[in-house]
Amino acid sequence: MGIRKLIFIIFFTCLAFEVASQIPIMPEQFRVNLGAKDIHRDMSFYQLQYRTSTVDLRKLKPMVKQEIPDSVVIVPPDLSSFDHVVVLVGLVGNDASNMVLWLAGNYNYRNITFFLDYDQDRNFVNDEGPVRIKAGADPVEVMLAQNNQNRKLLLTVPEVEVRRIEKYKVRIANRFAVGLSMGVGTGDINYQYDDLVIGYPTSYFVKITEKNLTATLSYDTRLFNVGVSASFQNHYYFTTHLDVVKGEPFYRRLIDFIWLYDDNTDHHVNLDEHSNNRVQLGVFGSLKLKISRAIDIHTTFRTGLTSYFNPTYNRFVHQEDQIYPLRTSPFYEVGVRVEFTTGIERAVFVEFARNEQKWEPEGFLADTPHENFESSSVMAKLNVGYRFTLK
C-alpha cells in the first residue's frame, strides 16, 4: 500500500493560559507522513502540557475511543533549556497498546525540538538524540518501532502557518542579555555631628532629584541572573539646610505677658555646592519569580562604587579653603523589577529601587572638633527599560 499522509497542527494562542490541558492537533502546522503498511487506520494525536514524568491522561480519556490508562510514567530527557514542553500522544485504531508518546520542546515556535521514543519503552534517555526541525525546512526521516516492525516517518513543519510564532513570547534564559534603562529619582543627603566647641549637635539636609541612564550586561538562567552595570546620573539640589544648635532652647520676653520660644539654633540656607554628575559601576544579582506566562518579578541586589565627574564638595561657596575632595565610595541598592516578555527573548521592565551610599568628603570637618559624625545619601528610583539577548 502506498504512503498514507496524515497532517497535524497545534492549535495554540498567546492568551491561552492553559485553558485546555489537551488539544487535538489539527492540520497545517505540524505534519507527520507515515510511510508504513500497517499504519493506515485513523491516527489521532493529542497535545498535553508536560508537567512531570508521570503523564496524566485522565482528561484525555473522554475524548478518545480507546481504553487508555489514567497515567503513563516516562523517563524524560533533560528539558531545562526549553521555554515550554508538550507531550504528543498518538493513538492508532482501537488498540491502546500502540499508543505513541513523544515530547516536543518550544512547540509553539519556529524551531521545534522533538524527542521521539523510537522503541516505545517510555524511556527517552536510551534513544537517539532529539530531532530539531525548523519551519519550512526539508522533511526529516526517522524510524519508529511499531508492532515489532520499523516504520519510516517523515516529519515536517510548514513555514506558512508557523509565521504566527511572531505573536509568541520566549523568556530570556540561558543567554547573555543587554539592558538599557532610564529613570528618575528623589532623595536627600544628610549628616549630623556633635560640635565639641559649642557642645551641641549640628545637622544638615538637602533634597535631591535625579535623572539617570543605565546599561547592563547580564547572564540569565530561568531562576536568576547576574551581571554588571553602569549608571550615569545627573542630580539637582534644592535649598540646603544647616542647623547649628547654639545652646538650650529658652523663652524670650517681648513685652509684658508675651513670651517667644527660641530654639537657640542658627538656621542657614544655600551655603554649599555639590557635584551634579556621577557614575555608579556595580555588580548585581536577581532572583526571578514567574507570576504568569509573560510576566516575571525580579528581586535585585546591586553593589559597587560611586565616582563623581567633578569630585569636590564646596562647604561654603564664599570660602576657598572649604573645598573637599569627594572620594570614590561604595554603594548598595535593593530593588524590585516587574519584567514583561514582549517577544522572542525581548522584554520591557519597570523597576523600583532604593540606592544608598555613605557620603563623606575627604578631610571634611577637619577644622571643627567634633564626634559622632553620621552621614548618608539615599535615593528612591523609578526606572523603565528594555532588555534583549545577544545572539
Side-chain angles (χ1 to χ4, degrees):
M1 180 178 292
I3 295 177
R4 300 293 299 264
K5 296 184 178 180
L6 298 177
I7 304 174
F8 309 93
I9 187 178
I10 305 166
F11 176 77
F12 57 88
T13 174
C14 289
L15 301 178
F17 292 104
E18 300 181 9
V19 172
S21 61
Q22 64 281 318
I23 305 170
I25 301 174
M26 304 299 291
E28 293 304 334
Q29 181 171 338
F30 169 50
R31 178 178 299 154
V32 180
N33 296 331
L34 302 176
K37 287 185 177 181
D38 297 330
I39 307 183
H40 62 274
R41 310 176 187 88
D42 292 338
M43 185 174 186
S44 299
F45 268 81
Y46 297 85
Q47 172 187 337
L48 307 175
Q49 187 69 30
Y50 176 79
R51 300 186 185 280
T52 69
S53 59
T54 300
V55 180
D56 190 347
L57 302 176
R58 289 175 297 179
K59 293 184 179 180
L60 181 59
K61 294 180 72 171
M63 303 176 63
V64 302
K65 300 177 181 179
Q66 297 89 333
E67 288 294 327
I68 62 176
D70 289 340
S71 64
V72 174
V73 178
I74 65 173
V75 180
D78 181 9
L79 303 171
S80 61
S81 62
F82 299 103
D83 180 64
H84 67 278
V85 177
V86 301
V87 183
L88 302 176
V89 181
L91 298 174
V92 182
N94 296 317
D95 188 357
S97 65
N98 289 330
M99 182 170 59
V100 174
L101 286 181
W102 294 343
L103 299 174
N106 290 348
Y107 195 42
N108 293 337
Y109 309 135
R110 185 175 299 278
N111 294 290
I112 303 174
T113 301
F114 292 97
F115 295 90
L116 307 180
D117 184 14
Y118 295 94
D119 54 9
Q120 302 299 301
D121 65 351
R122 310 299 187 235
N123 186 346
F124 291 83
V125 177
N126 61 6
D127 288 287
E128 299 178 19
V131 177
R132 296 178 175 86
I133 303 180
K134 184 176 181 180
D138 293 336
V140 175
E141 180 179 302
V142 298
M143 300 296 294
L144 176 69
Q146 190 80 22
N147 293 329
N148 296 320
Q149 298 183 38
N150 290 329
R151 312 296 186 187
K152 182 175 69 173
L153 291 80
L154 298 177
L155 310 183
T156 63
V157 178
E159 173 73 25
V160 59
E161 291 294 329
V162 182
R163 289 174 184 167
R164 296 173 60 190
I165 83 151
E166 299 303 330
K167 301 178 182 179
Y168 282 78
K169 303 171 184 179
V170 179
R171 280 179 168 81
I172 298 174
N174 302 317
R175 289 185 180 275
F176 285 97
V178 171
L180 301 172
S181 67
M182 62 179 60
V184 295
T186 182
D188 62 72
I189 292 176
N190 66 78
Y191 66 79
Q192 53 277 328
Y193 62 90
D194 294 330
D195 192 316
L196 298 181
V197 175
I198 302 174
Y200 288 91
T202 295
S203 60
Y204 171 91
F205 172 85
V206 60
K207 184 178 180 181
I208 312 169
T209 58
E210 175 183 294
K211 301 184 292 290
N212 68 71
L213 294 173
T214 302
T216 63
L217 174 64
S218 65
Y219 184 81
D220 282 63
T221 69
R222 294 188 179 279
L223 297 179
F224 62 89
N225 70 356
V226 294
V228 295
S229 64
S231 179
F232 300 90
Q233 302 162 2
N234 172 262
H235 289 165
Y236 176 80
Y237 297 86
F238 289 81
T239 300
T240 63
H241 300 270
L242 181 68
D243 298 328
V244 182
V245 179
K246 309 296 290 185
E248 296 295 331
F250 60 91
Y251 287 91
R252 181 172 24 187
R253 183 174 180 177
L254 296 181
I255 58 176
D256 290 344
F257 307 110
I258 298 179
W259 298 78
L260 179 66
Y261 176 79
D262 192 324
D263 60 7
N264 204 8
T265 300
D266 288 343
H267 301 280
H268 305 280
V269 296
N270 288 334
L271 297 174
D272 58 359
E273 184 177 28
H274 289 268
S275 178
N276 296 101
N277 301 294
R278 70 182 187 182
V279 60
Q280 289 187 330
L281 303 178
V283 295
F284 65 88
S286 300
L287 179 65
K288 299 180 179 180
L289 175 63
K290 180 179 178 179
I291 62 174
S292 77
R293 182 178 178 276
I295 302 177
D296 293 342
I297 292 181
H298 297 191
T299 55
T300 303
F301 177 80
R302 178 180 283 108
T303 186
L305 296 175
T306 302
S307 299
Y308 294 87
F309 284 62
N310 178 25
T312 59
Y313 169 64
N314 192 342
R315 184 184 179 192
F316 299 115
V317 293
H318 301 301
Q319 298 182 30
E320 294 182 359
D321 61 346
Q322 293 295 317
I323 298 177
Y324 300 94
L326 289 170
R327 70 184 78 178
T328 298
S329 57
F331 76 91
Y332 73 88
E333 182 176 294
V334 293
V336 176
R337 172 184 297 181
V338 182
E339 184 164 285
F340 304 87
T341 300
T342 57
I344 308 300
E345 297 177 332
R346 300 287 189 271
V348 297
F349 62 85
V350 179
E351 182 178 60
F352 304 90
R354 182 184 187 275
N355 185 291
E356 180 172 353
Q357 71 171 109
K358 185 169 182 178
W359 181 88
E360 184 175 359
E362 187 173 357
F364 187 53
L365 300 180
D367 58 349
T368 303
H370 68 280
E371 63 181 9
N372 301 325
F373 179 86
E374 295 180 357
S375 68
S376 68
S377 174
V378 178
M379 298 294 299
K381 304 183 180 186
L382 171 63
N383 303 318
V384 295
Y386 177 69
R387 295 206 309 137
F388 56 94
T389 60
L390 298 176
K391 298 298 185 182

